[in-house]
Amino acid sequence: MEGDEIDDVKIPLLQSSTDENVVVRTVTFQISDIKCASCVNSIESALKNLNGVQSIAVSSLDGRAAVKFVPKLITAKRIKESIEESGFKVNEVHDHDQDISVCRVRIKGMACTSCSESIERALQMIDGVKRAIVGLALEEAKVHYDPSLADPEKIIEAVEDAGFGAELISSGNDATKVHLKLEGIDSEEDANVLVSYLELAAGVNRVEMDFLELIVTVSYDPDFTGPRTLIHCVQEASRGSKVYRATLYSPSGRREKDKVNEIRMYRDQFLISCLFSVPVFVFAMVLPMLPPYGNWLNYKVHNMLTLGLFLRWILCTPVQFIVGKRFYVGSYHALRRRSANMDVLVALGTNAAYFYSLYIVIKALTSDTFQGQDFFETSSMLISFILLGKYLEIVAKGKTSDALGKLTQLVPDKAYLVDIDTDANIITETEIDTQLIQKNDIIKIVPGAKIPIDGIVIKGQSYANESMITGEAIPIAKSPGDKVISGTINENGCVLVKATHVGSDTALSQIVQLVEAAQLAKAPVQKLADDISRVFVPIVVVVALTTWLGWFIPGKAGFYPNHWIPKGMDAFELALQFAISVLVVACPCALGLATPTAVMVASGIGASQGVLIKGGDALEKAHKVKTIVFDKTGTLTVGKPVVVSAVLFHEFSMEVLCDMAISVEASSEHPIAKAVVAHAKKLRKNFGSCPEEVPDVVDFEVHMGAGVSGKVGDRTVLVGNKRLMHACNVKISSEAEKYISQNEILARTCVLVSINGKIAGAFSVSDPVKPEAKRVISFLHSMGITSVIVTGDNHATATAIANEVGIDQVFAETDPVGKADKVKELQMKGMTVAMVGDGINDSPALVAADVGMAIGAGTDVAIEAADIVLIKSSLEDVITAIDLSRKTMSRIRLNYIWALGYNILGMPIAAGVLYPFTGIRLPPWLAGACMAASSLSVVSSSLLLQFYKKPLHVESI
């Protein structure tokens, strides 16, 4: 490519500014006080001259105004303000085309709930931000925003303005994005050429270039391209002596590096602090007690300024202002946003100690008679202990996500990419990075290797150990046509797998994303900590001031004996020590960490054991459950029904019965319908040849909870239960009724087939009960939880199943809406209800229930509607979910008891309540150590959930 051809690709294609690319949106305003056409004209006149407004339609009848505008030129907020400036009140705004984007931001520097709330407030003040959630323990924010009004840069800027560090984790749909680190880029022209080449590549939707870091971000359609193809495209863009190269760049790895750097930073700061603080402590508290070793400290440098006092001042100052700078910065930003946190308390306490001690130094330097007690060891040791506590706390907090970290490490780093011929024989084999695998690639999985992608086996047989994903210990047989899951282990045979889902689309990645979202969502119990945090620091400051006055004034007035005042102190200094102790012993951090750390550990442990909990709200509600409603098919039963018998009741032949059943049921997705079709085809073969083409069905209709109907040729066919027959006025003969009754007693479902208004025959379908069902129901009863069956099946079959597993209450022949109504009825009786289901017909009930639990093998709709997903479809995990919730809530309550109890007991002791009676006094440096220990103890308490064991194991059944 030379000359003009090169010039043509210098400007990226997607940067075109032609009218075709102008985005136009429509917003509707509900306006009050529109009385006549004159009002309409006033509004239209006010808006038509605004740059970016394309059209206005105002109705004087209902007070609505529809405005089309260009978001890049004007915002909906500005249009609203123009209407209000014209003298009209806007009551409601509805943006028809609003596109809501989501971004995740990593936040550095949060210490307590006050910090997270401040960031939330700062984010919600950004024009265009619809919702912002900040997770203290996860150190992340999830922001929903209007991309035409806000962007990730504004969001990061708002966080930084609030005094915290911020770094973008993801924005938009990162599932189809790849980040590439470029080499060979020497100028902006090179970058534009490369961007143009990438934009021309098939399947590329968007290209973003970071010129400083030389990182290009490509949004693409995985059905057409992938990371490997894009890297090859970069190499193909090379021209002449210009050689371009690209390698994968993973922003996610920075989080681990940042965490390691943060731990190292606190450790180094603590060690530096100790380098100065320990000598200060020794000079102040140890050597004076060991004469003659400490006598040299009493050497007077000038007037009453001793060498010991001078050394303590020199050594304490770097700790106070260099090591302790972070507390000043944190306090400044907290006070600037009109809030207060732990940094404010520490800064007040240490400043009080340091500057009073500095006053002592100045007085000693200028006076030849002055004597006073300094508190330099209080200031320096206090900062050292707090840094030690933060260091240990961060190390412990890192362990709260260990379970989730283990899941992310299941995917191997390398994989074998192969080319095959038409007979699936390997032609070439290449070892590549797992992140370079693309959709439809063929991957060779050797025995003992981890499977890097979700896919389908196309050649070979083996067993897969899926325990790390589903918790199921028994290896699962895999043969051609079977699905495999990313992160699982190939036990023995060598298999070839065709990739169907790669990268963040795999089941493992979806699980991780779901758990991360759950960890970010606040549990309602967190509201207690939020409410306390708003007033905590101001209350502590008032208590500290009251403590100082309460000791200083009576001391000066002689209301308590002089021997209460330690040697070398006066009433002012004693009162000051008590006040500083109160300031630094109070710990808002422990309260803020009580809930999120427990939720983080519990959601991670749940995921590793096959229970996905979608947030703190679900986790909290689950522990209150007293009634569980079970669907029957696929939940209490295996969900793979089989036809055990078929009979004729009329003059129709078996061939006709089978043909009509196959035609109508073939369009149904219900498991029973599939079983009927499979059995009918088998019977058709026994009676002759099974026709390859199924007769067409017209007017097909699904009767929810009853069956299906349609016309095959000139015949009207109904296939379903008795309810469907009664609804369509089809008479059921006594012979058919007898057959139905006999099978219902055996917990079998009868599927009746009606042709032209007559019962032609019936199929008896059996769906065996899951082997663990009876034990699970019994265990639930022992937990004080009652069980109910709600099913669309007939009453006799449902009752037989209920008797077999030990359930007393049965609601049969219920449609999907009826299931939701039954759940609401139970809730009206004051019960907290959980619903366990697997199908589309269960989704209304799953949403209506306090806690919806979806069987992992169920439909996507059911899983989406549920609060908890049971990955391996075992009923034992219903118990696991409830028991884990109970253990977690118990742990959260224990955390709150400790955090609140510590503050309630610690502050009076620090204030000197026990001092008059026992002589026990809490020095400020020791109070600081207690404060640091309280946060660490709460995090450690939450970490004990990592030892959680399931109360019931299927293997023992």
Side-chain angles (χ1 to χ4, degrees):
M1 183 177 281
E2 297 178 359
D4 295 337
E5 292 177 314
I6 295 176
D7 294 334
D8 289 340
V9 295
K10 287 181 181 178
I11 300 173
L13 297 176
L14 298 184
Q15 290 181 9
S16 172
S17 60
T18 60
D19 291 341
E20 294 176 3
N21 293 328
V22 173
V23 177
V24 178
R25 283 180 25 194
T26 303
V27 63
T28 301
F29 300 97
Q30 188 66 48
I31 306 171
S32 58
D33 302 328
I34 295 182
K35 299 180 176 65
C36 60
S38 177
C39 298
V40 172
N41 291 332
S42 298
I43 294 171
E44 289 179 346
S45 299
L47 299 181
K48 70 180 181 181
N49 294 324
L50 293 176
N51 184 28
V53 173
Q54 291 198 340
S55 67
I56 310 135
V58 183
S59 170
S60 59
L61 297 177
D62 56 12
R64 286 192 302 165
V67 183
K68 285 187 177 180
F69 67 100
V70 180
K72 284 189 176 181
L73 301 177
I74 193 169
T75 64
K77 183 180 178 182
R78 178 71 189 92
I79 297 171
K80 178 188 173 187
E81 288 171 352
S82 296
I83 296 172
E84 290 175 336
E85 286 168 4
S86 300
F88 299 92
K89 185 179 179 183
V90 179
N91 298 322
E92 190 178 328
V93 181
H94 178 60
D95 196 339
H96 299 272
D97 309 305
Q98 191 175 62
D99 179 24
I100 301 299
S101 294
V102 179
C103 75
R104 289 170 57 215
V105 178
R106 185 170 298 113
I107 298 174
K108 303 172 188 175
M110 288 193 295
C112 59
T113 311
S114 175
C115 299
S116 60
E117 284 201 330
S118 297
I119 295 170
E120 278 188 8
R121 286 196 297 270
L123 291 172
Q124 286 166 352
M125 287 173 66
I126 301 172
D127 190 21
V129 169
K130 303 299 178 184
R131 187 179 175 215
I133 307 168
V134 179
L136 174 62
L138 199 60
E139 296 180 337
E140 281 185 18
K142 188 176 184 180
V143 185
H144 301 249
Y145 64 95
D146 180 349
S148 68
L149 300 175
D151 54 44
E153 286 74 20
K154 283 185 180 178
I155 290 166
I156 289 173
E157 186 181 341
V159 175
E160 291 175 342
D161 285 346
F164 300 90
E167 180 183 299
L168 185 66
I169 300 174
S170 65
S171 64
N173 183 16
D174 276 4
T176 55
K177 279 186 181 179
V178 65
H179 305 274
L180 302 176
K181 181 74 173 178
L182 302 176
E183 296 177 18
I185 305 295
D186 300 322
S187 65
E188 190 171 336
E189 179 182 330
D190 291 339
N192 286 336
V193 168
L194 253 182
V195 169
S196 298
Y197 264 93
L198 288 170
E199 288 174 343
L200 286 168
V204 171
N205 298 326
R206 188 179 179 188
V207 181
E208 297 174 359
M209 182 74 180
D210 184 342
F211 292 100
L212 293 177
E213 299 290 336
L214 292 181
I215 294 170
V216 65
T217 302
V218 185
S219 301
Y220 64 92
D221 186 337
D223 290 326
F224 294 97
T225 189
R228 205 169 62 254
T229 304
L230 294 171
I231 289 175
H232 184 63
C233 183
V234 170
Q235 293 169 348
E236 282 187 338
S238 300
R239 49 196 173 89
S241 60
K242 286 287 184 182
V243 179
Y244 304 129
R245 292 188 182 89
T247 53
L248 278 175
Y249 172 78
S250 177
S252 59
R254 294 176 62 180
R255 179 175 185 175
E256 287 70 28
K257 291 179 183 176
D258 287 345
K259 183 61 68 177
V260 170
N261 289 337
E262 186 179 20
I263 291 172
R264 187 181 294 119
M265 181 268 292
Y266 274 109
R267 183 199 64 190
D268 293 346
Q269 284 196 341
F270 168 67
L271 293 176
I272 292 170
S273 178
C274 284
L275 186 65
F276 294 96
S277 299
V278 171
V280 171
F281 183 76
V282 171
F283 295 160
M285 309 296 290
V286 179
L287 288 180
M289 308 289 291
L290 301 172
Y293 302 106
N295 291 346
W296 61 276
L297 293 172
N298 295 324
Y299 173 77
K300 292 181 180 178
V301 178
H302 182 73
N303 285 340
M304 299 301 291
L305 178 65
T306 64
L307 181 59
L309 178 58
F310 177 74
L311 289 175
R312 290 194 294 272
W313 171 46
I314 294 299
L315 291 171
C316 177
T317 300
V319 178
Q320 180 71 34
F321 297 107
I322 299 176
V323 178
K325 177 185 174 183
R326 62 184 310 277
F327 300 112
Y328 287 102
V329 173
S331 300
Y332 166 73
H333 287 295
L335 295 172
R336 198 185 71 172
R337 59 180 181 262
R338 297 180 182 179
S339 66
N341 57 13
M342 184 198 76
D343 290 335
V344 173
L345 295 178
V346 173
L348 281 173
T350 57
N351 276 339
Y354 179 85
F355 285 106
Y356 176 75
S357 302
L358 185 60
Y359 163 77
I360 297 295
V361 170
I362 295 170
K363 287 288 289 182
L365 186 64
T366 57
S367 171
D368 55 2
T369 58
F370 175 79
Q371 288 187 340
Q373 176 70 41
D374 67 277
F375 299 131
F376 284 124
E377 82 285 351
T378 293
S379 169
S380 58
M381 292 301 292
L382 184 55
I383 290 173
S384 297
F385 274 118
I386 289 170
L387 290 173
L388 174 62
K390 290 298 291 183
Y391 167 69
L392 296 175
E393 179 189 323
I394 287 170
V395 171
K397 276 167 68 178
K399 296 182 183 298
T400 59
S401 56
D402 274 359
L404 194 59
K406 288 175 183 175
L407 281 178
T408 59
Q409 292 169 10
L410 290 176
V411 179
D413 295 326
K414 301 290 182 181
Y416 293 104
L417 175 69
V418 298
D419 289 325
I420 57 174
D421 59 20
T422 53
D423 296 323
N425 296 313
I426 297 175
I427 301 172
T428 61
E429 180 178 317
T430 310
E431 187 180 46
I432 64 169
D433 193 297
T434 300
Q435 291 178 305
L436 294 176
I437 299 175
Q438 298 179 183
K439 196 172 180 181
N440 298 322
D441 280 346
I442 308 298
I443 305 299
K444 175 184 173 183
I445 314 293
V446 298
K450 292 179 180 177
I451 299 171
I453 37 81
D454 290 356
I456 297 174
V457 176
I458 61 170
K459 186 178 182 180
Q461 293 185 336
S462 184
Y463 283 86
N465 182 354
E466 299 180 349
S467 60
M468 60 290 299
I469 303 294
T470 66
E472 180 61 61
I474 301 171
I476 309 298
K478 300 294 180 182
S479 56
D482 290 336
K483 294 180 179 178
V484 292
I485 305 172
S486 170
T488 57
I489 298 174
N490 180 29
E491 290 280 327
N492 39 31
C494 181
V495 293
L496 297 183
V497 176
K498 183 178 182 180
T500 56
H501 297 87
V502 299
S504 55
D505 285 337
T506 63
L508 179 61
S509 293
Q510 297 295 322
I511 289 171
V512 171
Q513 290 169 29
L514 195 65
V515 175
E516 285 180 338
Q519 291 175 345
L520 198 58
K522 286 185 180 180
V525 71
Q526 175 71 20
K527 189 175 184 299
L528 173 63
D530 293 344
D531 291 341
I532 293 174
S533 71
R534 292 188 186 100
V535 296
F536 187 87
V537 173
I539 288 174
V540 171
V541 172
V542 170
V543 171
L545 184 61
T546 305
T547 299
W548 180 76
L549 292 172
W551 280 99
F552 175 62
I553 294 173
K556 279 292 184 182
F559 289 165
Y560 56 78
N562 287 332
H563 69 265
W564 283 12
I565 302 174
K567 185 179 179 182
M569 283 192 190
D570 58 21
F572 176 87
E573 292 165 347
L574 179 65
L576 183 63
Q577 276 216 347
F578 282 129
I580 293 171
S581 294
V582 169
L583 281 174
V584 296
V585 80
C587 184
C589 303
L591 278 169
L593 293 170
T595 299
T597 52
V599 170
M600 276 188 74
V601 177
S603 54
I605 289 297
S608 67
Q609 300 200 10
V611 178
L612 286 184
I613 302 169
K614 291 187 179 179
D617 192 14
L619 192 66
E620 182 172 341
K621 285 181 179 177
H623 92 284
K624 301 175 184 176
V625 168
K626 292 298 179 185
T627 302
I628 298 184
V629 176
F630 289 94
D631 174 47
K632 181 181 76 68
T633 305
T635 303
L636 287 172
T637 63
V638 175
K640 295 180 179 178
V642 291
V643 176
V644 293
S645 68
V647 295
L648 292 170
F649 294 128
H650 214 268
E651 67 273 6
F652 297 101
S653 66
M654 185 60 76
E655 290 94 326
V656 172
L657 176 72
C658 290
D659 285 348
M660 296 301 104
I662 292 169
S663 296
V664 179
E665 291 280 59
S667 300
S668 175
E669 290 294 319
H670 198 284
I672 291 179
K674 292 179 179 179
V676 169
V677 170
H679 189 76
K681 286 181 177 179
K682 186 177 178 182
L683 283 177
R684 195 71 176 79
K685 284 183 179 178
N686 293 338
F687 284 95
S689 62
C690 181
E692 292 185 7
E693 292 188 7
V694 177
D696 290 334
V697 59
V698 295
D699 298 333
F700 176 80
E701 186 178 354
V702 176
H703 304 268
M704 296 300 288
V708 293
S709 64
K711 292 198 74 172
V712 182
D714 58 351
R715 293 168 171 166
T716 300
V717 182
L718 305 174
V719 183
N721 56 24
K722 287 197 294 184
R723 187 146 51 91
L724 178 62
M725 301 303 150
H726 289 316
C728 297
N729 298 316
V730 176
K731 186 178 179 181
I732 301 174
S733 65
S734 58
E735 186 183 5
E737 287 280 11
K738 183 179 178 182
Y739 178 78
I740 293 168
S741 300
Q742 289 172 345
N743 281 279
E744 286 178 346
I745 293 171
L746 300 173
R748 294 174 182 171
T749 301
C750 281
V751 178
L752 302 172
V753 181
S754 165
I755 303 175
N756 289 336
K758 297 178 181 179
I759 301 294
F763 296 92
S764 176
V765 181
S766 175
D767 187 6
V769 171
K770 288 182 177 177
E772 74 271 16
K774 185 174 181 179
R775 178 78 181 275
V776 167
I777 299 302
S778 174
F779 200 95
L780 286 171
H781 285 166
S782 70
M783 294 171 71
I785 297 172
T786 57
S787 302
V788 178
I789 287 182
V790 177
T791 178
D793 212 337
N794 64 77
H795 195 275
T797 302
T799 302
I801 294 288
N803 292 336
E804 185 176 346
V805 299
I807 294 177
D808 300 324
Q809 200 168 0
V810 178
F811 298 103
E813 299 180 17
T814 309
D815 60 18
V817 176
K819 288 183 180 182
D821 290 340
K822 292 298 180 186
V823 168
K824 291 173 183 175
E825 282 179 23
L826 293 168
Q827 290 170 327
M828 291 291 287
K829 295 177 182 177
M831 300 177 183
T832 302
V833 181
M835 170 72 192
V836 186
D838 70 322
I840 293 174
N841 61 338
D842 298 320
S843 55
L846 288 169
V847 172
D850 296 289
V851 180
M853 299 187 190
I855 298 294
T859 64
D860 292 340
V861 175
I863 291 171
E864 184 68 28
D867 302 299
I868 297 174
V869 180
L870 312 179
I871 300 175
K872 66 176 182 174
S873 305
S874 172
L875 287 176
E876 98 179 271
D877 288 336
V878 173
I879 293 172
T880 302
I882 293 172
D883 186 65
L884 179 59
S885 170
R886 289 182 175 183
K887 294 284 197 307
T888 304
M889 292 309 300
S890 175
R891 182 61 54 183
I892 289 172
R893 281 192 288 268
L894 184 63
N895 288 349
Y896 272 126
I897 289 170
W898 171 251
L900 285 170
Y902 161 81
N903 282 294
I904 290 169
L905 293 175
M907 286 174 65
I909 293 172
V913 170
L914 298 179
Y915 185 62
F917 311 105
T918 63
I920 294 175
R921 183 165 56 91
L922 194 65
W925 61 269
L926 187 56
C930 292
M931 186 265 279
S934 67
S935 293
L936 183 63
S937 64
V938 167
V939 176
S940 300
S941 171
S942 296
L943 282 173
L944 292 175
L945 285 169
Q946 288 187 330
F947 301 103
Y948 173 80
K949 301 293 182 185
K950 289 184 177 184
L952 181 67
H953 292 271
V954 172
E955 290 78 12
S956 64
I957 294 173

